[in-house]
Amino acid sequence: MDKKDLRIIFMGTPEFAVGTLQALVECGYNVVAVVTQPDKPVGRHGSILREPDVKVYAKQHGIPVLQPEKMKDETFLQQLRSFRADLQVVVAFRMLPEVVWSMPRFGTFNVHAALLPQYRGAAPINWAIINGEKVTGVTTFFLDHNIDTGRIILQKQFEIPDDADVEYVYNGLMALGAGIALETVDLIIETDGKVDAMSQCDMLPAEGEELHNAPKLFKDNCRIDWQRPVVEVHNFIRGLSPIPGAWSEIILPDDKVLEMKFYKAKPTELSSEGYVPGSFVKEKKHCYVACRDSLLELLVVQPVGKKRMDANAFANGVSGFNR
């Protein structure tokens, strides 16, 4: 079978998914339709509808777009069947019911931004960085009844520098994910759908090793715990930067409490002895916060209701901040 004969439906929503869709289109694969989330209300009164990034790209290239509210809606299912897809490719979308993922004759595969079975869930890039991983990657796997548990087709690794934030890893995995998606489609074509995929049960960590999950991020689990060691706090901040941003409430010298986000910091070997964890320290042109073992130097912060700024500039603007 030639790649132009393989009818593909692509499913995805954010910018991360556009990289794979673009690669499929530009490399001549036959993408017959795109499925994405409904347009999202934005603006102060929600009066403006924002189109998903995947929809914008699809419209620019004349690809039909489906935006179901419910994946089991019969009208949507009839539309999906009408495209007679041989294969469905999913990147950063939503959980699919069996009636959808089992529809094509070659099934449905997902591109996941982690090395499964590690970091199953909605925020794999964030949690890999938060946990201080040195290596992450991308995985293609066939969908099944559960979240991110299907048979693995291919994997590729990606190194995480010690100071890398989510944006750096996101961009790297977006490119890597596009490449592995093309390789996976080619493998399916070469084998006529009879890919030798591996069960994740055979890849679980050995006894005593941890299986990490990647749950969805909410405000509560983005709050900084200054009682942690400085390296862990640094990883937490870069693992949530630039989106959604790690945050904490701070007490200013006038005893006012201010909520702020932290986007860039640097661990130091300066002892935090004598400081309560979470205490802010201003020394000359440097601004620090005390963690359990050492001081963390703050570089970029954002007080609530204000723009991001240099941490030292913020400290200079607070009366009585100097010690």
Side-chain angles (χ1 to χ4, degrees):
M1 174 186 291
D2 187 88
K3 63 183 180 181
K4 294 182 180 179
D5 298 323
L6 184 76
R7 298 177 64 83
I8 298 173
I9 287 180
F10 183 85
M11 299 185 179
T13 298
E15 178 194 27
F16 189 88
V18 175
T20 299
L21 175 59
Q22 180 178 354
L24 288 167
V25 172
E26 292 184 354
C27 291
Y29 294 85
N30 186 19
V31 180
V32 296
V34 158
V35 180
T36 190
Q37 297 277 33
D39 295 355
K40 183 178 180 180
V42 295
R44 179 174 297 180
H45 303 292
S47 57
I48 301 173
L49 292 179
R50 183 183 183 277
E51 296 180 334
D53 294 329
V54 161
K55 177 183 178 180
V56 172
Y57 181 87
K59 287 172 60 178
Q60 291 172 347
H61 293 79
I63 304 172
V65 177
L66 303 179
Q67 295 179 274
E69 292 282 352
K70 298 180 180 180
M71 299 301 291
K72 291 184 179 181
D73 179 78
E74 189 55 42
T75 300
F76 164 67
L77 294 176
Q78 291 178 3
Q79 290 175 320
L80 203 61
R81 293 188 189 98
S82 71
F83 287 102
R84 298 177 289 105
D86 301 300
L87 176 70
Q88 290 174 159
V89 178
V90 180
V91 183
F93 192 44
R94 57 196 287 190
M95 188 172 181
L96 303 180
E98 182 176 5
V99 67
V100 173
W101 57 256
S102 65
M103 192 177 294
R105 64 188 182 111
F106 291 152
T108 301
F109 78 80
N110 181 277
V111 179
H112 187 72
L115 298 174
L116 292 173
Q118 294 288 357
Y119 296 103
R120 295 168 175 162
I125 298 176
N126 303 90
W127 287 105
I129 300 173
I130 289 171
N131 289 332
E133 301 287 0
K134 303 295 184 182
V135 176
T136 184
V138 289
T139 302
T140 52
F141 67 97
F142 287 113
L143 294 189
D144 62 12
H145 294 92
N146 299 310
I147 298 176
D148 302 332
T149 60
R151 293 175 297 125
I152 290 176
I153 307 168
L154 295 173
Q155 290 188 320
K156 288 185 179 294
Q157 293 188 348
F158 182 83
E159 293 187 4
I160 306 177
D162 290 340
D163 61 347
D165 62 9
V166 171
E167 185 174 28
Y168 175 89
V169 180
Y170 177 100
N171 290 335
L173 295 187
M174 182 166 59
L176 198 62
I180 199 174
L182 299 186
E183 290 185 34
T184 301
V185 173
D186 288 343
L187 184 60
I188 289 172
I189 292 173
E190 291 169 9
T191 61
D192 195 33
K194 300 177 178 63
V195 176
D196 186 18
M198 181 178 295
S199 169
Q200 290 192 38
C201 293
D202 300 328
M203 303 175 70
L204 294 173
E207 185 176 352
E209 296 180 356
E210 189 171 358
L211 181 64
H212 296 286
N213 291 316
K216 190 172 181 179
L217 295 170
F218 299 96
K219 184 173 182 178
D220 284 350
N221 60 3
C222 291
R223 184 171 188 166
I224 299 172
D225 179 2
W226 300 109
Q227 301 275 357
R228 309 294 297 179
V230 68
V231 171
E232 292 184 13
V233 175
H234 177 238
N235 290 341
F236 191 80
I237 290 172
R238 66 191 183 95
L240 296 171
S241 178
I243 295 174
W247 70 278
S248 175
E249 292 176 339
I250 65 170
I251 300 176
L252 300 178
D254 58 4
D255 292 331
K256 288 184 178 179
V257 177
L258 175 66
E259 181 180 315
M260 63 191 305
K261 289 187 175 182
F262 302 81
Y263 290 98
K264 191 173 182 180
K266 181 171 66 175
T268 77
E269 295 182 356
L270 299 173
S271 174
S272 59
E273 185 177 355
Y275 293 106
V276 175
S279 299
F280 280 71
V281 183
K282 178 75 166 60
E283 292 185 358
K284 297 181 180 179
K285 295 184 178 181
H286 299 277
C287 182
Y288 306 95
V289 63
C291 299
R292 188 172 76 190
D293 53 352
S294 303
L295 297 180
L296 179 74
E297 183 174 2
L298 301 179
L299 301 175
V300 180
V301 300
Q302 183 178 16
V304 65
K306 298 183 181 295
K307 295 182 179 180
R308 295 183 196 179
M309 63 181 69
D310 176 87
N312 191 55
F314 162 74
N316 286 337
V318 178
S319 176
F321 200 98
N322 291 305
R323 288 179 176 266

